[in-house]
Amino acid sequence: MKVYKGTFKVEWAHCDAAGIVFYPQFYTLFDQATERLFSANALSYAELARDFDSPGMPLVETGTKYANASKLGDTLAVESWVESWDGKTFVVKHKLTHADGRPALEGFERRVWIKRDATRPAGFRAIEVPETVRARFSD
Amino acid sequence: MKVYKGTFKVEWAHCDAAGIVFYPQFYTLFDQATERLFSANALSYAELARDFDSPGMPLVETGTKYANASKLGDTLAVESWVESWDGKTFVVKHKLTHADGRPALEGFERRVWIKRDATRPAGFRAIEVPETVRARFSD
Amino acid sequence: MKVYKGTFKVEWAHCDAAGIVFYPQFYTLFDQATERLFSANALSYAELARDFDSPGMPLVETGTKYANASKLGDTLAVESWVESWDGKTFVVKHKLTHADGRPALEGFERRVWIKRDATRPAGFRAIEVPETVRARFSD
Amino acid sequence: MKVYKGTFKVEWAHCDAAGIVFYPQFYTLFDQATERLFSANALSYAELARDFDSPGMPLVETGTKYANASKLGDTLAVESWVESWDGKTFVVKHKLTHADGRPALEGFERRVWIKRDATRPAGFRAIEVPETVRARFSD
């Protein structure tokens, strides 16, 4: 299974008045981690458009459980992977861990695979995730 | 039950490259709606500090289910309320609805009630939500 | 001269670890104030596209001078107006004032008036601001 | 002269409805670049507090000139350095360049050097930038 591994250094720009990460920032990080995971598998937004006639990967559900606060100056390990392929939708999991091994938080995004369709009001329709896409995330 | 009711006009500043709200923006909106709901009940952050020796309301879990996309120029109705008081934690629900009645999304935040405690590494400890706080949200 | 007048309540979502507004938030506010000023004059993004074949109003320069810090809980008065029309560009000024009359900050955005042009790499070209647009901002 | 050099990959999270970077995001980037430049010279926020009794580096002025749009997928080179030390204030310059050498934008932040002072309403006062600080940015 392909896993995106990165580092998240908690900077001034991420923190709220309590000196910890303002929680919506973690969802921004999830969005970036998903983009990086997919880009690493030849599924950048430009490639989604060119190779799959797809304008993006809309969300149907997101959620996070927070374990230990992330403070200004902390360095967190980020791991993101596709947890499941479920027909037209799929789940990306994100796990952040403190440098000392304590869990920081775990979250997920359920996204839809779509294809442009000018006959629909939204301009696209959901389709099964192509096998060629799923295959890229296996080892 | 006290309900915060507001309006969210989707502006350029909220939108992503697909011309719809970038999903972390909804969590920022949740945070603001919670602050407004609590402030309307004499629980602004200044009042939390002064009257309850509390430095904030940390998150333990958040989540959202998205129903219909919110596009640039859309006007959404926002409703937020405390769904449940559960000892030391409580859940705030947020519901956004399109002008034509279609649901946009529903989300929640589970937060902890805390009190400053200099003997703890975090500087605070969780306590039961005071009865006087809960009472403010009843009609 | 048409002036957008609004209120900016400093909320938890805007603040940094020092408990004051994280300065990029003011630029987000400027973008929103410009959109509101133009929308009030029948120049929303939908109207720009429909009536002027314009995909937006790109920035060429922005800047701000900060006078007095804006803290969590402060309420600021916002005033925004078109300061000058300069051929293909124009300047929007933004002035924020504390409730007690002290200045908070003053900023500006210089933007370009554009029109779609499929022959250009960017997909648009700059043109003189139409007289019919400028006229909407006079009294 | 010490220069922070980094890379800014334009991701979905940075882009507006025109598919280019929403301009306030560049100021967030400036804030991060300044923090990285100072941290690389033993002036992280934790070190500012511990070694200089300083709670941060407030802004007095910021500004940017935009040359060429930054689109989803672009990779920009970032360079940041202290342009001048001016008594109690100093200027950090930020320069972003496209991969093909075209300028993207240039901006600056003028910040104040401060020290905690419980006798002041703001809780701090401006002082001359210490010589030991300035010296760290020379080669």
Side-chain angles (χ1 to χ4, degrees), chain B residues 99-119:
Chain B
D100 61 5
R102 285 175 307 135
L105 59 94
E106 284 192 49
F108 74 94
E109 299 167 300
R110 182 176 289 279
R111 293 174 178 261
V112 198
W113 194 266
I114 59 172
K115 192 178 156 75
R116 287 185 199 285
D117 182 345
T119 69

Side-chain angles (χ1 to χ4, degrees), chain C residues 22-24 27-28 30-31 59-66 71 109 111 121, chain D residues 22-24 27-28 30-31 59-66 71 109 111 121:
Chain C
F22 180 56
Y23 86 85
Y27 286 102
T28 299
F30 292 173
D31 190 81
L59 283 301
V60 285
E61 189 175 355
T62 58
T64 303
K65 292 186 181 178
Y66 309 88
K71 299 180 183 177
E109 299 168 300
R111 294 174 178 260
Chain D
F22 180 56
Y23 86 86
Y27 286 102
T28 300
F30 291 173
D31 190 82
L59 282 302
V60 284
E61 189 176 356
T62 59
T64 303
K65 292 186 182 179
Y66 308 88
K71 300 179 184 177
E109 300 167 300
R111 294 175 179 260

Side-chain angles (χ1 to χ4, degrees), chain B residues 43-51, chain C residues 72:
Chain B
L43 294 162
S44 67
Y45 284 101
E47 291 162 325
L48 285 171
R50 188 193 64 193
D51 301 340
Chain C
L72 181 59

